């Protein structure tokens, strides 16, 4: 199963966790200092909160979480075939998890997009 990832900058991680727990009716799947994520079943969403005081309410990045590295490779190949550039990050640690991913380059508005799979939490 794939799901959209939305990573938000928040001023206060504890306040944001409390709010989003109420909004989505579920607690976070992972909490670390200055970081939390929610694995929401409906709608299928991975909500990531990154504590960045003074930047609260802004978008950090967007992502598409896919089930495995083969799917990461397939999406990257499809995008390359359409002329969309990307930057590989394999076996990297991000959001307190080991991941295989790539970053999409050249979005017209500069929005950061990643396509990733979690190798280990």
């Amino acid at each position: 199963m794939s799901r959209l990832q939305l990573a938000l900058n928040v001023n206060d991680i504890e306040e944001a966790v409390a709010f989003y727990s109420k909004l989505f009716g579920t607690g976070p799947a992972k909490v670390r200092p200055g970081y939390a994520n929610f694995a929401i079943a409906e709608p299928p969403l991975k909500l990531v909160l990154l504590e960045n005081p003074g930047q609260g309410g802004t978008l950090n990045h967007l992502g598409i979480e896919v089930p495995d590295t083969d799917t990461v490779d397939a999406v990257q190949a499809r995008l390359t075939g359409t002329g969309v550039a990307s930057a590989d990050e394999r076996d990297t640690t991000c959001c307190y998890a080991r991941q295989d991913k790539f970053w999409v380059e050249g979005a017209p508005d500069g929005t950061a997009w990643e396509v990733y799979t979690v190798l280990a939490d």
Side-chain angles (χ1 to χ4, degrees):
M1 175 185 94
S2 297
R3 62 181 163 194
L4 187 63
Q5 178 196 39
L6 173 61
L8 299 176
N9 292 313
V10 299
N11 289 320
D12 182 298
I13 196 70
E14 290 178 14
E15 179 181 41
V17 165
F19 174 80
Y20 287 107
S21 293
K22 292 174 188 173
L23 181 66
F24 290 108
T26 187
K30 184 186 295 186
V31 178
R32 301 289 188 273
Y35 173 88
N37 79 39
F38 291 76
I40 300 159
E42 193 56 42
L45 172 68
K46 179 111 174 227
L47 177 65
V48 175
L49 305 175
L50 300 157
E51 189 171 56
N52 286 305
Q55 295 182 34
T58 62
L59 180 66
N60 187 283
H61 67 276
L62 297 167
I64 301 168
E65 182 179 19
V66 297
D68 53 43
T69 299
D70 288 343
T71 306
V72 171
D73 294 340
V75 172
Q76 189 173 25
R78 180 182 63 77
L79 290 173
T80 298
T82 66
V84 175
S86 61
D88 261 348
E89 281 190 29
R90 300 304 169 116
D91 198 21
T92 188
T93 300
C94 181
C95 297
Y96 298 93
R98 211 172 99 240
Q99 301 176 351
D100 275 346
K101 71 164 91 184
F102 68 89
W103 290 94
V104 177
E105 297 181 335
D109 58 2
T111 301
W113 278 93
E114 67 176 336
V115 177
Y116 71 99
T117 191
V118 175
L119 301 172
D121 252 343

